[in-house]
Amino acid sequence: MVAILLIDKVGRKPLLYVSTIGMTVCLFSLGFTLTVMGQGAVGIGLAIFFVCANVGFFSVGIGPVCWVVTSEIFPLRLRAQAAALGAVGNRVCSGVVAMSFLSVSNAITVGGTFLVFAAVSAVSVAFVYWLVPETKGKSLEEIEVLFESERGWRGGGKGEVEMGDAEHLVQNE
């Protein structure tokens, strides 16, 4: 509910920053707590706190915002297929994490596993910074133009490939 109220007021990127940075701190703190404090009452209490905080940060940003951004960034002619592919990728990655957690935690400890998750989360902060555009207040057409101009992507009208699209593949001798 928080993300729904804030997404159009503050924008997608600020929510993603709060979410990914908060998750990184929580996952690192959880890994550190489980590694250093172990099974004591304080360690267990802190672990529960960091898990709950991580879920909260996820719910404010990356959880809902990734679905919004996914539905906005693809051109209209590919939007349905690309959104479906994004959903499949999301579910497959979630399944891989869930199914490998016990094996990884047995190999490097539970705390070590959360430290690895913290590292992946830190990479997501960099990903948001460099690769995710702010789409707040922009129409879908403006977003499509943004990708065409910033990334050098070319639209082929109704999806046709034009001769100019492949010219860079032919070597001039």
Side-chain angles (χ1 to χ4, degrees):
M1 294 303 291
V2 173
I4 290 172
L5 296 173
L6 293 178
I7 197 163
D8 283 328
K9 290 180 182 163
V10 299
R12 283 89 168 124
K13 278 187 94 157
L15 287 177
L16 287 173
Y17 282 135
V18 168
S19 180
T20 54
I21 292 169
M23 288 175 59
T24 301
V25 169
C26 288
L27 290 168
F28 176 78
S29 300
L30 179 60
F32 181 79
T33 299
L34 292 173
T35 301
V36 174
M37 297 184 151
Q39 302 295 321
V42 173
I44 292 172
L46 284 173
I48 291 170
F49 171 77
F50 290 129
V51 166
C52 292
N54 184 62
V55 170
F57 280 114
F58 176 85
S59 298
V60 166
I62 207 163
V65 173
C66 74
W67 298 106
V68 173
V69 171
T70 300
S71 69
E72 292 175 338
I73 63 173
F74 296 111
L76 185 58
R77 67 183 188 281
L78 301 173
R79 187 164 295 133
Q81 297 89 340
L85 189 60
V88 168
N90 183 311
R91 296 302 173 207
V92 167
C93 289
S94 295
V96 167
V97 169
M99 293 177 71
S100 64
F101 179 82
L102 291 177
S103 300
V104 173
S105 65
N106 285 335
I108 64 170
T109 74
V110 174
T113 304
F114 284 105
L115 291 173
V116 169
F117 290 166
V120 172
S121 186
V123 170
S124 74
V125 176
F127 179 85
V128 168
Y129 179 77
W130 280 302
L131 298 174
V132 177
E134 177 57 74
T135 58
K136 172 188 158 197
K138 292 182 174 68
S139 69
L140 296 176
E141 293 78 15
E142 290 171 325
I143 295 169
E144 189 168 349
V145 169
L146 172 77
F147 276 100
E148 287 174 354
S149 64
E150 283 190 10
R151 306 283 187 237
W153 295 345
R154 299 171 63 166
K158 297 178 186 167
E160 304 93 358
V161 176
E162 297 178 356
M163 193 60 159
D165 294 335
E167 284 179 354
H168 69 281
L169 299 174
V170 178
Q171 294 181 359
N172 295 329
E173 295 184 40

